[in-house]
Amino acid sequence: MFANMATGGIGASVRRPDGPAKVRGEFSYAGDLTAEGMLIGVTVRSPHPHARILGIDTTAARAMDGVHAVLTVDDVPGDRHFGLVLRDEPVLADGVVRYAGEPVAVVAAVDAATARRAARAVEVTYEVLPALTDPQLALTAASIHPDGNVYRHVSYSCGDPDARGVVTVENTYRIGMQDPAFLAPEAGLARPTPDGGVAIEVATQWLHSDQKQIGWATGLPPEKVHVSLAGVGGAFGGREDVTLQTHACLLALATGRPVKIEYTREESFLAHRQRHPGTIWLRHSADADGRIVSVEGRVLLDGGAYASTSPVVITNTVTLLQGPYRVDNGRFEGWSVRTNNPSCGAMRGFGVPQAAFAHEAQLDALAAALDLDPVEVRLTNALQRGDVATFGQRFDAPTPVREVIEGLRAIPLPTGPAKLPGGVGRAAEGGTVRRGVGWAVTMKNLAFSEGHVDESTAEVSLRDGHATVHTACAEVGQGFVTVAEQVARTVLGATTVEVVQPDTLVASAGSTSASRQTMASGTAVYRACLAVRDRLLGRVARAHGLDAATLTVADGVVCAAGRPLGPVATAAPGQTFRATEHFQHPATHPLGSAEGGMYVAFGFSAMRAVVDVDVELGLVSVVQVASCQDVGTVVNPVQLRGQIEGGIVQGMGLALMEEVVVADGLITNPDFQDYLIPTIVDVPEVVSTYVTDPEPGMPHGWKGVGEPPLVTAVPVVAAAVRAATGLPLPAVPIKPEHIALGIGAAPTVTWTTPRPADPDRPRGAVIDEEPHDAPGTMAEEGAPSG
Amino acid sequence: MSAVEDPRTDVAGGTDGADGSVTFGLTVDGTAHEVTARWDESLLTVLRDRLGVRGPKTGCAHGRCGACAVKADLGDGGHVLCACLVPAATAAGGTVETIASISGPDGALSDVQEAFLAEGAVQCGICTSGFVTAATELLETNPDPTRPEIEAALYGNLCRCTGYGRIVAAVETAARTRRAATR
Amino acid sequence: MLLEAPRFALPETLGEALAARAERPEAVVVAGGTEVMPDLLWRNRTAAGFLSLRRVAALRGTTTDGGELVIGAGTPVAALTTAPDGGLRAAASSLGTPLVRTEATIGGNVVSALPYRNLLPTLLAGGATLELTSATGTRVVPFDGFVTAPGVTGLREGELLTAVRMPVHVGFADYAKVGRRNAQFVATVSAAVVSRDGVARLAFGNAGPTPLRSDAVDTAATALLDGRATPEDLRATVAAAVDPPEDTVASAEYRRHALGVLAVRLVTRAAVDAGLGS
């Protein structure tokens, strides 16, 4: 992958190095993989959300021509369980199935047709059990897993939660289950290696997590499990958990042949993790001027059958219920629970879109109750640098909440014709359409949290102006390959840069999630480039008899005291300079820890949405979304805009149309006819502006940007639809009938006698109870958080 | 759940064997092939798995995402369609042009491809060959499309990364470039 | 025959197609494939073989015969997006996606016979008839009544739908549908109107197990058209006439409500077109 010869450093809209192959259709994705002698693996899945397995008869399947292996849990040589945070999920069902679609057996055969026939020939005898599908009942129902039904319970308070202003508003909000719906279904190709190990090329977000979990199941040490990244067609959190990785490796080891598994779209819905659906109750109390006096919140997230990241997501949701507002007094509690519904885990935003939808609805309800301008209420309460969060952390980096709100105000409202609600269906009439304008402001934590190590490593080399960058950072479409190239150009003055395909030959980069890779892997690359540059300059200094301290690299030229000496490309002919550098964020700490904060950094975002609503039919057209986001230093303007626009549209999808509908534990819409993501007709004009306060501790002041746009888009679209309709709309996705039939309860407004906070109550988080079920086996590398 | 077992079209009825196969000619990107496939295989399966033509992508395999868009002439002049929806054998004797047939002069990038790169219309890229194929077709029939016309022509292609804004910009840029070049 | 295999037939002429139909009663007739292929993938449908009409040139294209458009059953929906009938144009233009419409055919839309299929309300409101052809001849039947249950039609063994005949209306015809997205969506509900000489005729999609119309609705619609009734009257009549499904996409209550709204809006458009409304 070679880039143009143009300068293309940090701050430039450098084109993606993988772009030419992608526009030619020549880029190789995981689904394009093939190998000589390759077998095809197919998964036998449970049709039941909850059942006991009385028997599995693989005799007929094994006897079929062309079938090379049929594996069940008894064929798993290593640990039968895996998982990102808790090791509670069987590699293949172990006596019980706990969700519809759970893998029960895997088959490898000479081709897909044979493998699918063999999969159908595997006879599984089930004793169907009652399915636990109500997360509220999960709190008290009999355990459906030896580890219990509660993944994590968090409960804390700060200040005096019983303090009151003149008014309280409270409501219960509901968020539906969103699917990452990346467009390339899961795929990977595993091969046995001559040393008795296994190698897999796979579309993933986290190579070393896959490596570790494959190692558990196969019983192989890490050095015998080689994971490399295959072309990834989108991820959005949905590839953070292991799906087919272990199965493909087990089949390759069992057959001695390369084995490819590629899911269908339906399997993809069944197999990967969705965004947690949840219910959030919030009560805000405020003074007459809109200043928040106290906030109380409770959250219940349905984690589905296995833990995945449920123990981490719940903390994000609960702690960020305060939003980007100063809240001195509060009480917060939440549970993520196990049910027989599909397992939920990471998806872009990682628990925060749920919180944001609820707290922003509350801010609008507060403004309405007090007859105040909703923007002014947000400005009144905006967090500032130096404030302390409800969870005890001081905001000691730029906290430009006011700035992102003010930045938005400068953007003019749209004029001119807009697309009619209902689009190509031609149902709407101009005269039936009402316009609404809504605002939302959010805070998203960036990088891993609560003590989970957030780190990356980069190996960089330079020879005759050509740089090679090697990390384990998964490129999933976001453009890290471009960022790495830009860093190498700026720091090293490289004329060409090759970003090597990530693999486990280099140390872990952590997951491509949590808006973290520019900060973690970008910084590792930056440090390695600095080290390589210093080696180059040392060599040049010796060759010219100069003091290395006077040498710099600028625009591809080595300079001595600012005077050009010559191009980097010819500074040391034939010499290769190498360096490997590691980066790790300062440690974070669990909620309630006295030692320090939970989170590495925060990103703030404000949006204003303009929608047109056909109120009679409940149809919506999102006309414009204006955004002002705290982005640190802009690394690549075009890629930044891509993250903002893409995130907004995913958030708008959750607000208006996207929901995995689960009935009695079964997904009723596991396809793209019935699971709707926005089309090109659905999307608004996006106006994107930025606040560019450099992030402390980061090279050039860059920071993560990928998640805040989605987080803010959910509440802002909902707010605009509320403004157009006058309806409370406490649930997303907002369905046409919610609007047309006025479904959804309004907030309860109560006028109260002011009760000042008890000054003796401590600021900062006080854990009210010990976590009911603390995360057990923490992955040594750290579980992800977003 | 409609089918946990996943009866892909290539296995409906489990019809391997002599009576389930069909042999026909198909020209793909200028190369003539004799294809033997099962009777119910899609054109997409034949292209990708039998002929190794990997430009058309598998996104949904049920006609909703457009990642498999190709230009095909089934004896009626040719148009862009979803290869996953076409029973391959109905294309017997026909021609298919995939993304591999799209390029500028001397193998350079076409104006549409160039614009997709310049405008940032590519992220993960799994939808890109379908979008480039559909956008190229649009500009051949409508060299100066309005934004609503671009949207009307491309709503059969889904993108999950970009939010479409850069894609619309790319098509507008390509149209401008093409008009300038032919002026 | 362009291609003939035990489980696949690709005729080029209608004669070949009818012969193949008689020889292969178990084969699934496939035109564009846009319904059949997802059916095989998603709805667990199995097929014993395909009889493809995709290459029968005689089935493709539209002619005029007296006062009727004669639309070959194999005519792609894309070709109908410029049809002289406003209802057909609107229904065709919102069917599937541009990439689907090039292959989807009017015949496939009719024979697949699900109540939400795009073209069906337009054909019902427009008084379309169907040419059903077998080796022994052609019969012409009204579309009204052809669909007897979801996915079930009056097509007899050995018959093929060969053409759809649509009266050319000099009046107003339109179609609208409601979904949960602004493009590429299955109709939650849909409606079509035809009005001519002061008489309105409505038909509905996903308002019951089959495409639905009723004399009472048309009477109320006509009354609204000439100002003898109110929109509320029509909505009440529609609400009483329809029996929409309840599912995870929408409640029956919403569908009933939206059908009434669509009915009023389409009749109002017809009134405006006729210079009767504001």
Side-chain angles (χ1 to χ4, degrees), chain B residues 116-172:
Chain B
F116 267 64
L117 290 185
E119 296 291 344
V122 179
Q123 289 187 29
C124 90
I126 196 78
C127 71
T128 303
S129 69
F131 264 107
V132 167
T133 301
T136 300
E137 179 78 355
L138 167 66
L139 294 188
E140 292 192 355
T141 53
N142 181 356
D144 190 11
T146 62
R147 183 175 175 132
E149 287 169 344
I150 292 169
E151 293 177 356
L154 298 182
Y155 71 72
N157 298 82
L158 297 179
C159 172
R160 189 57 158 169
C161 297
T162 66
Y164 304 102
R166 306 300 84 218
I167 291 173
V168 172
V171 177
E172 289 172 341

Side-chain angles (χ1 to χ4, degrees), chain B residues 69-95:
Chain B
V70 298
K71 187 164 187 174
D73 184 349
L74 280 63
D76 57 349
H79 48 250
V80 176
L81 47 74
C82 286
C84 69
L85 293 177
V86 175
T90 65
T95 61

Side-chain angles (χ1 to χ4, degrees), chain A residues 526-552:
Chain A
Y526 177 83
R527 289 183 173 186
C529 286
L530 279 184
V532 168
R533 186 194 66 181
D534 289 348
R535 277 164 209 177
L536 169 72
L537 295 182
R539 172 83 57 160
V540 171
R542 284 195 297 282
H544 292 265
L546 297 166
D547 177 2
T550 67
L551 300 183
T552 55

Side-chain angles (χ1 to χ4, degrees), chain C residues 7-104:
Chain C
R7 304 181 71 133
F8 194 90
L10 190 61
E12 276 186 290
T13 66
L14 186 55
E16 288 174 352
L18 290 168
R21 186 83 200 106
E23 286 162 18
R24 301 160 183 263
E26 271 81 54
V28 168
V29 177
V30 53
T34 59
E35 303 299 344
V36 171
M37 296 298 275
D39 271 359
L40 291 178
L41 178 58
W42 297 112
R43 298 182 191 105
N44 239 341
R45 179 163 151 186
T46 55
F50 280 162
L51 163 55
S52 170
L53 304 181
R54 178 64 180 79
R55 307 293 286 273
V56 181
L59 290 176
R60 296 166 75 86
T62 302
T63 58
T64 310
D65 176 17
E68 290 188 320
L69 283 178
V70 183
I71 306 162
T75 303
V77 172
L80 302 177
T81 59
T82 54
D85 180 283
L88 267 184
R89 267 202 312 277
S93 301
S94 61
L95 187 152
T97 80
L99 303 177
V100 169
R101 293 198 288 267
T102 58
E103 286 299 300

Side-chain angles (χ1 to χ4, degrees), chain A residues 368-568:
Chain A
L370 293 167
D371 198 23
L372 296 171
D373 174 35
V375 180
E376 291 300 331
V377 169
R378 288 172 168 87
L379 286 168
T380 298
N381 290 289
L383 277 173
Q384 298 179 51
R385 190 169 186 161
D387 285 346
V388 176
T390 60
F391 44 90
Q393 183 165 354
R394 182 174 301 277
F395 293 94
D396 51 11
T399 307
V401 180
R402 286 173 178 277
E403 289 83 345
V404 293
I405 297 172
E406 297 292 356
L408 257 193
R409 287 184 145 178
I411 301 172
L413 285 164
T415 55
K419 294 180 261 192
L420 279 176
V424 303
R426 302 179 69 254
E429 306 277 1
T432 66
V433 172
R434 276 192 240 155
R435 178 156 289 193
V437 180
W439 293 70
V441 192
T442 70
M443 165 170 74
K444 173 70 184 65
N445 58 312
L446 309 176
F448 291 166
S449 61
E450 277 202 283
H452 301 310
V453 174
D454 191 300
E455 64 181 347
S456 185
T457 294
E459 296 175 4
V460 172
S461 69
L462 179 72
R463 180 189 168 105
D464 298 337
H466 174 64
T468 301
V469 178
H470 189 188
T471 72
C473 168
E475 169 62 49
V476 301
Q478 84 279 27
F480 178 75
V481 287
T482 327
V483 170
E485 182 184 309
Q486 291 176 264
V487 172
R489 285 178 185 281
T490 294
V491 178
L492 282 179
T495 43
T496 55
V497 182
E498 180 189 6
V499 181
V500 176
Q501 197 69 354
D503 57 31
T504 48
L505 294 176
V506 62
S508 177
S511 174
T512 294
S513 64
S515 305
R516 61 177 290 278
Q517 284 293 18
T518 295
M519 295 191 297
S521 293
T523 302
V525 171
Y526 177 83
R527 289 183 173 186
C529 286
L530 279 184
V532 168
R533 186 194 66 181
D534 289 348
R535 277 164 209 177
L536 169 72
L537 295 182
R539 172 83 57 160
V540 171
R542 284 195 297 282
H544 292 265
L546 297 166
D547 177 2
T550 67
L551 300 183
T552 55
V553 169
D555 295 331
V557 174
V558 178
C559 301
R563 183 178 50 84
L565 276 183
V568 168

